[in-house]
Amino acid sequence: MFALELASAPINSSFSDRFGGGGGGSGDEPASSIPPEFRSKYSTSFADYPQPLSDPVRTRIWGPPVVRGSADPGGPGICAFILTLFSFLLILATFPLSLCFSVKVVQEYERAVIFRLGRLLKGGARGPGIFFIVPCIDTYRKIDLRTVSFDVPPQEILSRDSVTVAVDAVVYYRVQNPTIAVSNVENFSHSTRLLAATTLRNVLGTKNLAEILSERETISHTMQSSLDEATDPWGVKVERVEIKDVRLPVQLQRAMAAEAEAAREARAKVIAAEGEQKASHALREAAEIISESPGALQLRYLQTLNTISAEKNSTIIFPLPIDILKHFLKPDKKEKKEMR
């Protein structure tokens, strides 16, 4: 863009005088009259301008240049080197008292992330065991690698079928990469807790009440996958998520209890009716069998008397011959045929 502006814009008098482009003329020379050394000197790349800051044309067009060969502004400078040398000399001068401040120990389940003059040391986290620091210029932070569990506060969630429920869960996580956990996030523990509460609300907001109550394993697996993917740039590994409790409103609990009770009563009535139907079929078959043998009816009569006398001794029984009752009973179809 700047090269196009330079080609189309008129060249001022000082520029023309310097390169001899027409000597104090109107200053309307085309870009083709610019000497080759100027084109090679002012190329189209911003990083290719090792010219001094006093060059007015270069400064006017491109701004302050980047001088080649200068020290990397992101790397350690001479001040860092001096402070490091001074710190080592101080350690040697105060030896062995300086060992109390230089030697550190971390446990088997811990790692130490060391910063020297604000920069992360190469080699990653130190530990377990003994490691050394330079007291004046080094700072370190211990990171626990053990699995940590925390309770997600109860969340008031509106389900997909517009039912308000309070759900709480428990999350288990551990630090997988101590260096990333320190350098990429300010407080990985607090961030993981906030993310777990938000994820719980987002996941359960897409479920019905019946799915929340019956598909806890699926919901826990979905939350674990989502949290693990989100916390991976923080060096945190989410190992497990469990739905601990689902609390319903009192009115909804009463309505669900009444619904369940009504459903149980309906099933009980259906079962009783089916039992009566089966019993009637059985009695009908028994009556047909007994009707074929008159002696069987007499034996059944005596068996019934025995049962009554055994259960209720105060009952008075008057035996009555069955032959007398035959005159009062309607004749069967078979007897009508025989009479005809």
Side-chain angles (χ1 to χ4, degrees):
M1 180 176 69
F2 293 103
L4 293 176
E5 292 178 0
L6 182 63
S8 60
I11 305 174
N12 56 25
S13 59
S14 61
F15 182 85
S16 303
D17 294 341
R18 179 179 178 183
F19 293 101
S26 60
D28 295 334
E29 295 186 19
S32 60
S33 63
I34 300 175
E37 61 268 19
F38 178 79
R39 293 197 191 98
S40 61
K41 184 177 179 181
Y42 295 97
S43 61
T44 57
S45 176
F46 179 80
D48 295 334
Y49 288 97
Q51 312 304 328
L53 295 177
S54 59
D55 191 339
V57 179
R58 193 266 175 207
T59 304
R60 179 175 61 84
I61 298 176
W62 293 103
V66 177
V67 181
R68 288 177 179 177
S70 61
D72 183 11
I78 187 65
C79 294
F81 177 76
I82 294 174
L83 288 176
T84 304
L85 181 61
F86 176 77
S87 300
F88 279 105
L89 293 177
L90 184 61
I91 291 174
L92 294 176
T94 58
F95 188 84
L97 183 62
S98 59
L99 293 178
C100 299
F101 303 95
S102 299
V103 178
K104 303 295 179 180
V105 179
V106 291
Q107 304 297 329
E108 181 69 28
Y109 51 85
E110 293 178 335
R111 297 294 184 272
V113 181
I114 304 176
F115 294 89
R116 176 163 297 171
L117 294 175
R119 294 178 176 273
L120 186 65
L121 285 184
K122 296 181 180 180
R126 304 298 194 271
I130 298 176
F131 65 95
F132 297 89
I133 64 171
V134 181
C136 299
I137 60 177
D138 286 354
T139 58
Y140 73 97
R141 181 178 173 184
K142 290 183 180 180
I143 301 297
D144 197 332
L145 302 183
R146 293 177 293 182
T147 300
V148 180
S149 62
F150 65 90
D151 293 328
V152 180
Q155 304 293 316
E156 293 287 340
I157 300 170
L158 184 65
S159 63
R160 193 169 62 179
D161 51 354
S162 301
V163 177
T164 304
V165 294
V167 183
D168 56 352
V170 58
V171 178
Y172 301 86
Y173 76 94
R174 61 180 175 87
V175 177
Q176 191 175 17
N177 193 325
T179 304
I180 297 178
V182 173
S183 58
N184 285 13
V185 62
E186 180 181 3
N187 190 337
F188 63 87
S189 178
H190 183 65
S191 300
T192 304
R193 293 171 186 267
L194 294 179
L195 184 62
T198 305
T199 305
L200 179 64
R201 298 176 66 91
N202 294 338
V203 172
L204 294 183
T206 61
K207 303 292 183 179
N208 295 327
L209 178 61
E211 295 174 348
I212 295 175
L213 297 176
S214 60
E215 299 180 1
R216 294 193 179 188
E217 292 294 334
T218 305
I219 295 173
S220 299
H221 181 69
T222 303
M223 285 188 58
Q224 189 268 337
S225 301
S226 179
L227 284 175
D228 191 21
E229 182 180 358
T231 57
D232 185 65
W234 302 343
V236 175
K237 171 67 176 178
V238 178
E239 296 180 340
R240 192 177 183 87
V241 178
E242 292 292 340
I243 302 297
K244 189 165 63 174
D245 189 18
V246 179
R247 290 187 293 274
L248 305 176
V250 178
Q251 296 180 354
L252 182 58
Q253 293 179 11
R254 293 176 181 175
M256 294 178 64
E259 181 183 0
E261 184 178 1
R264 286 194 298 268
E265 290 180 356
R267 287 196 300 268
K269 290 181 179 179
V270 171
I271 293 172
E274 291 178 354
E276 292 290 339
Q277 184 181 6
K278 293 180 180 179
S280 63
H281 288 297
L283 289 174
R284 179 181 177 182
E285 293 177 0
E288 291 178 356
I289 295 173
I290 292 174
S291 63
E292 295 177 357
S293 176
L297 182 60
Q298 184 68 25
L299 291 175
R300 180 60 180 168
Y301 175 69
L302 295 175
Q303 186 180 1
T304 304
L305 291 178
N306 186 21
T307 303
I308 294 173
S309 62
E311 293 181 356
K312 298 180 181 180
N313 298 327
S314 60
T315 304
I316 301 173
I317 300 174
F318 293 96
L320 183 65
I322 298 178
D323 298 337
I324 301 174
L325 299 176
K326 286 183 179 181
H327 300 285
F328 301 98
L329 298 176
K330 293 182 179 181
D332 297 338
K333 293 181 180 180
K334 294 181 180 180
E335 294 180 355
K336 289 182 179 180
K337 290 180 181 181
E338 290 176 359
M339 291 176 64
R340 291 178 183 178

